[in-house]
Amino acid sequence: MQATRTYPKRKIQMYDDLLELVKKHKVIALIKMEKVRSTQLMQVRKKFRGQLKIIMVKNNIAKKVLEKVDIKGIDKVIEALDGQCAFMFTDRDPFKICIDLDKSKIYLPAKKGDIATDEIVIPEGNTGIPPGPVLSEFKEVKVATKIDSGSIAVSEDTVVAVPGDVISHKLSALLSKLGIKPIQAGMSINMALQEGMLYTSEDLKIDIEEIKQELFVSFNAALALAINASYTTKESMEHLLRKAFGDARSLSINSGHATTETVKDV
């Protein structure tokens, strides 16, 4: 007779809690926790208390729970369970949450093997570092230098890595000497499932400034179209009245019809 397998109470409780949260909330988000400091996690939990719930659970337990629920797209979340993960449960819009999380990110010193998250630039100017063996470190990463007032100076702004590049030991050491912290760290949503709609990390990235610029251009184009078509709206009315007045004034002058506004020109 096969013995019945028993599980620790802690794992059973974790399983039950996760299953309850999955059923309770509209949004299930998967967070990759690499380079996330405990202080950042605490700050997010404190800031959004009552708005979202973040829990860390072993991937094998999470998989067992997610396999029990019938939600469209949940299989993609299961497939993404790899490495150190956390789950976020909320009823808030995942796009707004991503914007809030981006604001909580910090920059850390680079280490060997790190992946550049942004373009890394060593800026032009005096580094304050005395000349010596370190000059060869600048040369190895192709940064032009000169001696200025007894210190090493970078001749011009130099890009030493682009997003996706693997940071070498030599580059990380040099960046550390220069006090440059180029690696963005913090909580990022790897994917979010909202009532059957699956969003990847790329889907959730929103450039606020770019959107503002697009709205500005679109508004001006729509306003110009409304004015040219003589279509009255709250925004176009003032422009249309000015245009009508200008047209009427020009017609009065060209036809020799004197009015209070055109008598001097006539």
Side-chain angles (χ1 to χ4, degrees):
M1 183 175 179
Q2 187 175 5
T4 303
R5 185 176 180 181
T6 59
Y7 295 92
K9 289 184 178 180
R10 182 178 59 83
K11 284 191 175 182
I12 295 174
Q13 186 62 53
M14 190 180 296
Y15 178 96
D16 292 339
D17 290 344
L18 184 59
L19 185 59
E20 182 182 353
L21 288 168
V22 170
K23 294 178 178 180
K24 180 180 178 181
H25 293 283
K26 296 179 180 178
V27 177
I28 306 169
L30 184 65
I31 299 172
K32 297 294 186 178
M33 298 299 289
E34 288 83 359
K35 295 189 179 297
V36 178
R37 295 184 175 181
S38 58
T39 52
Q40 292 175 288
L41 179 57
M42 290 172 60
Q43 288 172 358
V44 171
R45 280 174 168 164
K46 182 179 179 181
K47 182 176 181 180
F48 300 105
R49 184 172 296 153
Q51 300 180 44
L52 53 83
K53 179 80 172 177
I54 299 174
I55 66 168
M56 297 185 66
V57 60
K58 290 185 177 180
N59 291 344
N60 61 333
I61 296 177
K63 184 178 179 180
K64 289 180 182 296
V65 171
L66 299 181
E67 287 175 342
K68 290 289 184 180
V69 297
D70 183 19
I71 302 176
K72 181 183 176 182
I74 201 69
D75 56 316
K76 298 298 182 183
V77 179
I78 295 173
E79 290 174 7
L81 284 172
D82 180 51
Q84 191 176 13
C85 300
F87 282 93
M88 176 187 293
F89 300 94
T90 182
D91 293 325
R92 290 189 60 201
D93 183 87
F95 291 91
K96 292 181 180 179
I97 292 174
C98 278
I99 293 173
D100 290 334
L101 290 180
D102 282 342
K103 293 177 182 178
S104 69
K105 289 183 178 179
I106 60 174
Y107 281 87
L108 302 176
K111 295 181 180 179
K112 177 185 175 182
D114 280 344
I115 306 298
T117 52
D118 300 285
E119 185 177 79
I120 302 176
V121 178
I122 294 180
E124 176 185 359
N126 197 312
T127 65
I129 300 174
V134 72
L135 277 169
S136 63
E137 295 182 33
F138 282 96
K139 186 176 181 180
E140 287 175 0
V141 296
K142 299 180 181 180
V143 175
T145 59
K146 58 186 178 181
I147 305 302
D148 180 27
S149 302
S151 300
I152 298 173
V154 176
S155 301
E156 60 182 0
D157 290 352
T158 307
V159 177
V160 292
V162 296
D165 283 354
V166 179
I167 307 298
S168 67
H169 173 70
K170 292 178 180 179
L171 179 57
S172 66
L174 180 59
L175 293 172
S176 179
K177 289 184 177 72
L178 295 170
I180 297 175
K181 298 179 179 180
I183 304 299
Q184 190 182 59
M187 299 180 67
S188 296
I189 294 179
N190 181 258
M191 63 172 54
L193 187 61
Q194 183 181 32
E195 298 182 310
M197 182 66 72
L198 185 70
Y199 301 104
T200 66
S201 57
E202 290 299 318
D203 295 330
L204 294 168
K205 284 182 181 178
I206 298 177
D207 188 328
I208 299 298
E209 293 305 316
E210 182 180 349
I211 291 175
K212 285 182 179 178
Q213 183 61 30
E214 289 178 357
L215 288 173
F216 178 76
V217 172
S218 298
F219 173 82
N220 285 335
L223 180 60
L225 178 61
I227 293 171
N228 291 331
S230 299
Y231 183 75
T232 57
T233 67
K234 179 182 176 181
E235 292 77 17
S236 66
M237 180 62 76
E238 182 179 347
H239 299 277
L240 289 172
L241 288 173
R242 288 178 181 175
K243 183 175 181 296
F245 177 80
D247 292 344
R249 190 173 186 280
S250 297
L251 178 61
S252 175
I253 294 170
N254 293 332
S255 63
H257 180 73
T259 67
T260 305
E261 290 81 8
T262 63
V263 63
K264 291 184 179 179
D265 296 291
V266 172

